[in-house]
Structures are given as structure tokens and as C-alpha cells.
Amino acid sequence: MKLHLARNTKLLIAEDQVLAKSHMHYALEQLGFKNMDYVDRPSHALSALQEHNYDAVICSYNLRSEQGGYFLLEQLNDSHSLPLTSAFIFTSADTSADVVHAIIELQPDEFIAKPFSVNELDRRLSRVLARKKALKNIYAFMDRQDYEKALAEVEFFLLQPEHAEHFPLAMKIKGDLFIITERYQEAVAFFESIINVQDFSWAKMGIAKSLLALNEFDDAEREIIQLAMRPDSALEAYDLLAKLQIKQSAFDDALECTSLACSISPQNITRHQLAINLARITHDYESQFNSAKKVVRYAKHSIHDKPDIYLTAARAGVDFAMTSEPEHVNNIVKQTKEYLRQLKKAHPKAVLNDELTVIDARLHYLKDDTAKAQMLLSDFHTDHAQHHSTEALLDRAKALHEVGMKKESVTILDAISSRQDKGGDELDLMTTYLKQEKAEKEAISLSPKVLNNTAVAQYKRGNLEQSYTTFSQAFRVMPKNPSIALNYLQAIVRARKANAPMLPDTLSAIKKCRETLESAALSEEQYSRYENVKTILNNE
């Protein structure tokens, strides 16, 4: 470590373990650092950063309060409170895959595994501080969002041979600036010129992002799939592939990719929230509930810990219970009520009477107390819609439809739709979901809870055409339910034999039913029935 660099550097150290703090202090003093502040909680670090300018923050990922170091860097990134000219360095004794992926996603400037030697700290810290000093002017323009001047500064930087060791990072920044300024054709050409010299993953990722922005989907997909095969870029590739699939309205595929990414790095709340939205569109109620539960689990004591995450979990639980087999409903309802209890404990002052009343009404409906549910939902007028969130209104629309108040439900959905940005884009999942909900609520009068039972009763009475239509509606809103898929498939076979009128998308429906059944864990009775149906279909 160059002595003048150490003495001119102001450090903030976030560490709450006495021995680790003592070792860090000793090592930094050995390297010549004199200007050091110490904190032991993320909130104290945030306060210190508001009051002082630091050249670098060295933070323990394993802080034992407030979600630890992850919370600190997440909040700094979210609020843009740490300038690019300052460095952020994580230290951690835990080097498990989950932790490493979580750290990589937050993109600190360096990660140092504990325990470390003075020489190791010297090497890593010297490299980071030298890099920040060399690129200071570029970062300063980027902090001010003056990207054209930042580009000009990068070009100037790349003409100075004394900075050669930092050229790869400077070139990456240049490519990123092309993307930020939406100069995608230039970005593709630039990244390709880099790859012709050296096969950097970041350059291939830049090409994929640019091609995706240009809507060149086939070429983008080819690049992304190659990146998904590389350990250092797989996580980002899954995210990018999900974005491509959303643009193409392949929501099931997008959910699969997002779920894979969630399993690799489970602390990313934003990705779990994307999974919730995709699961809603694909009617995957179990995945929706599981993702909502993970948001609550990983968001506790973080910037994401707000009343809405508990409401989302409770609503997802009701949705799942409404579409599940009777033997599973009680357990799902029990979990749902637990999230309502956690909400009241975590946010006792939150005013959520209307939202909780709607959830209570839906829970009463699940217990077959429709009259009580209707009574709880009666005290509302669409003129009040402007005072409620989109999610609160959506839940009310579902509840009204479930208790047979279809007209009122659709009126609320119309009120929500009028709020949405009419321009929209292909990644606006809320607009997609609203259109889907409105179309389904207008076309289908019965609730998910009633649809299957009604269809079965019609089927047993020999009302083939009615049961076939009702099963098709049930499968439309519950396509992941194997019982409904099997019943619908049997209704199709029987209706065909009786030469009953068939819906135009029957072949597509057969394929989707079989996909659901092939991926489900069937009981012996279900398996036997499915084998019989398959034999008939194959013979036809």
C-alpha cells in the first residue's frame, strides 16, 4: 500500500464482532490508514454516510442486526447514497453459494473472505482504491448522470497508456454507457470488437442486452443461452431470458427462468416479486403463494419490510386456497392467517381496515359463509376507488366475483384499468394481468371454488355439453390443477364420442391438460384414469 494513498483515504468500517474489528483495526494501521470511523449497525453506517464523505466502506456481510451488510448495500444502491467515486468492500466468513451469489448481485467493488492476512487486505484494498482514483472523473460524470461527458472521459482515458491495467473496466463502462444512452447498434458493434480480442462474459452480456432492446429476439436468445451455460453469467442470463420471454408473452417460460434464478440467489426480493406477478398471469397459485412467502421471509427488517408484503402473502394464500383440493384448504388458510398476525405485529400502526376486511370476507367465503362475506363487502362504492391501491382494488374485485357480484367486480376492474398508463409496454405485467382478470370475470360467472364441483355434477347427470363448457372455464382459471385437467380431459373424450359441439381450441386444451398431468404427482386412481384417457386419445 502506498503510504500517501492510505493516509489520504477516509474509511468507514461496519463490523460488530470484537475480534474481527480488532484484527481489521490492526491490519489497517499496519498499512498506514489513520482516518477510520467504526460502526456496528447498518443504520449507524447510513447515518455516518449522510454526515461524511468516505473514500471506501468496508462492511461485514455477517452483521448480526437489520439484515446485516446485505441490507446496508441494498439500501445504498436503492437510494443512490454512495457515489460511484467511493468504494464498497464486503468481508464475510460465510462463503456459501447463496451468500456469494447475493453479494455478486449487489455488485460491491470487492469481496474479501475472512479470515484474511494483512498482505491480502493490502493487495485487495490497494487495487480497489487505485481503480477508483484512476476512474474518478468518469465516475463523477456518471454520478451526475452526464453520460455524454462520461463517454468522452472514457475515450480520453483509453488514450493514456499509463492506465492500461484499468482498460478492461473502462471498456466495460463504455459499453454500459452505450446501453444507458440507448445507442444499441453502437453497443453491439463495440462489444463484438471486444470479443474479437478476448471472450469476456460482460461483452457477450452487453450484446445480448442490446439485441433484446432492438427486439432481435432470435439472436438475443442465442447469446443468452450461451451465457446461461457459464457459471459467472448464469444468474444474469436467466433474468435476461425471462425478460425476453415476457416480451414474447411466454409467461410460463418466464416464470420457470425466474424461479431458477430465485433458487440460485434467494435474497433478491425484486426477483421474487416478479415471480409473484408471473405466477398470477399463469394461474400458478402455489408458486404465487410460495414466492410471496419468500418475500416476507427475506424482507424482514429491510427496506422491503412494509405492510404490503404481508398483505400480498395473505392474498396469495387465499387465491391458493380458493383453487386447491378440499383436504389442503385448512392448512393454507392457517398459513394465511399467520401472515395477517405477522402484519399486525410488524406494523401495528398501519391503517389497513378496508384491505383486511376484504381478506376476511374471502376467508368467510372459503368457509361457505357467503352471506357474511357479502355483508363485509357491501360498504363500498366505486367512487372510493381513487383512495385505494391497485392491489387492494384487485382483491376486492376477486372477492365480489366470488360471492356472485359479477357486475360490481367488473366495474372495479374497469376503474383500475383507467388508472394504467395507456401507452404501456410489453413488460407491463400489471396491465397484462388486469386485461386477463377482466376477460375472465366477464366470461365466467362462477368462482374457482364452485366451478369444478358444478362441472362434476353436470357430468354425472349426463349434461355433457354443459359440463364440457364448465370444465373448460375451470381449466382456464386453474390450469395447474391436475384434478381439473383430468376431469376436463375426460369430458372432452366423452363429448367427442357423443358428437357434442366442441370448442375451437380443443386440441390446444388437450395438449395443456396433458402437460399439467405429466408434470403432476397423481394418485393411483388418477393415474389409472389418465392412462385410460391417453389410450382413447392415442387410438383416435
Side-chain angles (χ1 to χ4, degrees):
M1 175 70 66
K2 295 178 180 177
L3 195 58
H4 73 278
L5 180 61
R7 289 186 173 173
N8 291 325
T9 297
K10 185 174 179 61
L11 296 176
L12 176 65
I13 318 298
E15 178 60 78
D16 65 352
Q17 296 182 34
V18 175
L19 288 176
K21 180 179 175 181
S22 176
H23 176 64
M24 177 69 74
H25 185 76
Y26 168 78
L28 290 171
E29 281 196 331
Q30 289 290 106
L31 296 175
F33 290 94
K34 300 293 183 184
N35 200 349
M36 298 170 284
D37 291 338
Y38 289 85
V39 292
D40 60 3
R41 299 175 71 90
S43 56
H44 297 168
L46 289 168
S47 298
L49 287 162
Q50 289 171 356
E51 295 173 11
H52 306 286
N53 293 320
Y54 292 95
D55 297 296
V57 179
I58 303 176
C59 176
S60 172
Y61 184 85
N62 312 94
L63 291 175
R64 289 169 290 189
S65 63
E66 303 168 342
Q67 285 278 22
Y70 187 94
F71 166 84
L72 176 58
L73 185 51
E74 184 182 41
Q75 182 134 338
L76 291 173
N77 288 344
D78 187 71
S79 61
H80 305 287
S81 301
L82 188 70
L84 292 170
T85 49
S86 299
F88 192 100
I89 298 145
F90 265 133
T91 63
S92 177
D94 186 350
T95 56
S96 64
D98 282 2
V99 169
V100 171
H101 281 300
I103 289 173
I104 289 170
E105 283 211 86
L106 290 175
Q107 297 186 333
D109 294 285
E110 187 59 272
F111 169 59
I112 306 174
K114 297 178 182 176
F116 50 81
S117 65
V118 175
N119 287 339
E120 175 72 0
L121 183 65
D122 182 10
R123 185 173 66 84
R124 299 290 193 91
L125 205 48
S126 295
R127 188 168 61 191
V128 172
L129 293 174
R131 186 167 70 230
K132 287 292 180 180
K133 183 179 179 182
L135 298 165
K136 183 177 181 179
N137 292 340
I138 299 169
Y139 286 139
F141 285 124
M142 292 176 70
D143 279 328
R144 294 198 292 269
Q145 297 185 355
D146 192 342
Y147 300 122
E148 294 301 329
K149 286 186 178 178
L151 265 170
E153 191 66 32
V154 171
E155 296 287 6
F156 178 69
F157 184 89
L158 291 169
L159 293 174
Q160 302 175 58
E162 64 269 25
H163 294 315
E165 66 178 299
H166 303 300
F167 280 180
L169 178 56
M171 288 187 289
K172 181 181 183 302
I173 292 171
K174 180 178 177 179
D176 290 342
L177 287 167
F178 279 139
I179 292 175
I180 289 170
T181 54
E182 299 183 1
R183 290 152 68 169
Y184 301 118
Q185 296 286 8
E186 287 180 74
V188 171
F190 173 73
F191 286 125
E192 285 179 343
S193 70
I194 297 294
I195 289 172
N196 287 335
V197 177
Q198 190 165 346
D199 190 28
F200 288 113
S201 289
W202 56 260
K204 294 185 76 67
M205 188 65 71
I207 291 173
K209 289 178 180 177
S210 301
L211 290 171
L212 185 56
L214 292 166
N215 291 331
E216 295 181 17
F217 296 143
D218 290 342
D219 291 339
E221 184 174 24
R222 185 171 57 253
E223 294 289 342
I224 296 168
I225 289 173
Q226 289 178 13
L227 286 162
M229 305 298 288
R230 297 185 176 196
D232 64 332
S233 58
L235 189 58
E236 191 175 0
Y238 283 132
D239 284 337
L240 209 55
L241 191 55
K243 186 176 179 180
L244 184 152
Q245 289 158 342
I246 291 169
K247 281 193 169 195
Q248 296 177 312
S249 298
F251 300 115
D252 277 299
D253 293 334
L255 176 57
E256 184 179 354
C257 284
T258 303
S259 298
L260 278 169
C262 286
S263 66
I264 294 171
S265 183
Q267 282 194 252
N268 187 307
I269 301 299
T270 302
R271 189 180 290 116
H272 287 304
Q273 289 170 331
L274 174 61
I276 292 170
N277 291 329
L278 288 167
R280 294 200 301 188
I281 290 173
T282 59
H283 300 97
D284 192 338
Y285 304 103
E286 184 173 10
S287 291
Q288 178 190 342
F289 190 33
N290 286 337
S291 295
K293 289 192 287 188
K294 287 172 185 173
V295 168
V296 173
R297 175 184 172 187
Y298 292 110
K300 284 186 183 297
H301 310 301
S302 78
I303 57 174
H304 304 285
D305 192 348
K306 298 173 183 176
D308 283 349
I309 65 172
Y310 300 91
L311 288 172
T312 297
R315 289 165 180 158
V318 175
D319 286 348
F320 187 29
M322 204 71 69
T323 57
S324 293
E325 303 298 337
E327 61 268 25
H328 301 311
V329 171
N330 286 339
N331 182 46
I332 299 167
V333 168
K334 184 179 177 181
Q335 292 179 60
T336 298
K337 290 181 177 178
E338 172 60 20
Y339 286 109
L340 295 176
R341 188 194 67 77
Q342 290 183 33
L343 165 60
K344 291 170 185 175
K345 181 180 178 181
H347 301 278
K349 295 181 180 179
V351 180
L352 300 165
N353 294 338
D354 288 340
E355 290 89 338
L356 294 174
T357 297
V358 173
I359 293 172
D360 192 28
R362 299 187 73 196
L363 289 171
H364 275 287
Y365 176 76
L366 275 169
K367 294 188 293 185
D368 295 321
D369 192 352
T370 304
K372 177 70 172 178
Q374 287 175 331
M375 186 272 290
L376 289 169
L377 295 168
S378 61
D379 187 22
F380 183 81
H381 193 275
T382 50
D383 291 344
H384 303 154
Q386 60 184 322
H387 304 299
H388 293 75
S389 70
T390 295
E391 292 293 348
L393 291 173
L394 259 171
D395 206 39
R396 184 175 289 274
K398 289 179 185 177
L400 288 167
H401 185 270
E402 286 155 4
V403 300
M405 302 169 72
K406 175 179 171 180
K407 181 180 177 182
E408 292 84 349
S409 173
V410 173
T411 299
I412 287 181
L413 290 171
D414 283 334
I416 306 172
S417 297
S418 67
R419 292 180 173 185
Q420 299 302 109
D421 178 12
K422 298 301 181 185
D425 60 44
E426 61 270 63
L427 300 184
D428 187 353
L429 296 179
M430 177 56 78
T431 296
T432 300
Y433 183 56
L434 280 172
K435 287 178 181 176
Q436 178 177 286
E437 278 291 291
K438 187 168 182 289
E440 289 174 359
K441 297 295 184 282
E442 287 176 334
I444 303 170
S445 297
L446 299 176
S447 72
K449 182 171 176 282
V450 173
L451 275 170
N452 194 41
N453 291 339
T454 302
V456 169
Q458 292 168 343
Y459 184 85
K460 288 179 178 178
R461 289 196 301 267
N463 298 332
L464 290 183
E465 190 172 342
Q466 279 185 307
S467 71
Y468 170 61
T469 301
T470 310
F471 276 131
S472 73
Q473 292 179 343
F475 188 69
R476 179 175 175 180
V477 296
M478 294 177 278
K480 311 298 180 184
N481 187 310
S483 294
I484 289 171
L486 184 53
N487 287 339
Y488 184 27
L489 211 50
Q490 285 186 308
I492 290 172
V493 168
R494 192 169 170 185
R496 274 181 163 184
K497 281 186 176 180
N499 294 319
M502 307 295 289
L503 294 173
D505 62 346
T506 299
L507 289 178
S508 174
I510 291 172
K511 180 183 176 184
K512 289 177 181 177
C513 285
R514 294 189 68 166
E515 286 173 354
T516 296
L517 291 164
E518 296 288 350
S519 61
L522 303 178
S523 67
E524 285 187 23
E525 184 266 343
Q526 287 175 324
Y527 181 78
S528 176
R529 287 165 58 200
Y530 181 42
E531 286 298 309
N532 289 335
V533 172
K534 278 200 297 186
T535 300
I536 295 169
L537 290 172
N538 290 338
N539 289 338
E540 289 181 354

